[in-house]
């Protein structure tokens, strides 16, 4: 198997799992599922409207990552996923939550990095030296 083919397989596996994770958690946040409301408002101390913001941005980010073209928009989506998941990890750690609470955003953070790193050339921004 060539390195290019291997990288493409890694990219699509990571990206599909990332998309599923972000869409599912985004929907849970948009629908304000009771357990999610409890965690975000009581355990982490964030306002309820934060769920709506996160849910909308996660779903829009997945669309940006999956659609063809728009490489710069993809970079922003990956950055948003990275900041949201690293923020979630830090929030859970800062409030003394268990590793079980840290594991889901940690997994999504790893998938974000893998998807970004292994993305094909046509999904990257091109840098031009002047």
């Amino acid at each position: 198997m060539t390195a290019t083919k291997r990288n493409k397989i890694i990219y699509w596996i990571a990206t599909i799992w990332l998309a599923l994770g972000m869409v599912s958690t985004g929907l849970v946040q948009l629908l304000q599922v009771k357990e999610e409301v409890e965690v975000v408002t009581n355990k982490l101390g964030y306002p309820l409207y934060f769920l709506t913001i996160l849910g909308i941005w996660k779903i829009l980010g997945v669309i940006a990552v999956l659609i063809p073209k728009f490489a710069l928009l993809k970079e922003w989506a990956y950055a948003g996923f990275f900041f949201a998941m690293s923020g979630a990890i830090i929030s859970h750690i800062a409030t003394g939550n268990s590793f079980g609470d840290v594991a889901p955003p940690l997994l999504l953070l790893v998938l974000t990095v893998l998807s970004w790193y292994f993305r094909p050339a046509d999904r990257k921004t091109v840098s031009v030296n002047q």
Side-chain angles (χ1 to χ4, degrees), residues 46 82-92:
Y46 291 111
F82 184 87
F83 295 138
M85 293 306 99
S86 60
I89 291 165
I90 292 166
S91 295
H92 282 294

Side-chain angles (χ1 to χ4, degrees), residues 34-48 95 97:
K34 182 181 174 185
E35 293 81 6
E36 185 72 4
V37 170
E38 174 70 23
V39 168
V40 172
T41 58
N42 293 339
K43 278 184 156 182
L44 299 177
Y46 291 111
L48 186 59
T95 55
N97 291 337

Side-chain angles (χ1 to χ4, degrees), residues 14-129:
T15 303
I16 288 167
W17 281 105
L18 174 64
L20 289 171
M22 289 297 182
V23 166
S24 63
T25 58
L27 288 173
V28 163
Q29 291 164 336
L30 278 175
L31 296 172
Q32 297 187 355
V33 173
K34 182 181 174 185
E35 293 81 6
E36 185 72 4
V37 170
E38 174 70 23
V39 168
V40 172
T41 58
N42 293 339
K43 278 184 156 182
L44 299 177
Y46 291 111
L48 186 59
Y49 66 82
F50 193 56
L51 288 172
T52 303
I53 295 168
L54 284 174
I56 290 170
W57 283 115
K58 283 181 178 181
I59 291 168
L60 291 174
V62 168
I63 292 167
V65 166
L66 292 179
I67 60 172
K69 310 223 192 256
F70 306 105
L72 185 59
L73 185 60
K74 289 179 194 318
E75 292 293 324
W76 281 86
Y78 281 120
F81 289 164
F82 184 87
F83 295 138
M85 293 306 99
S86 60
I89 291 165
I90 292 166
S91 295
H92 282 294
I93 292 170
T95 55
N97 291 337
S98 69
F99 180 74
D101 293 321
V102 174
L106 179 60
L107 174 60
L108 288 172
L109 180 66
V110 169
L111 290 170
T112 297
V113 171
L114 286 172
S115 176
W116 175 84
Y117 183 81
F118 287 103
R119 71 200 186 287
D122 64 344
R123 292 177 174 262
K124 294 180 180 179
T125 56
V126 178
S127 173
V128 178
N129 295 331

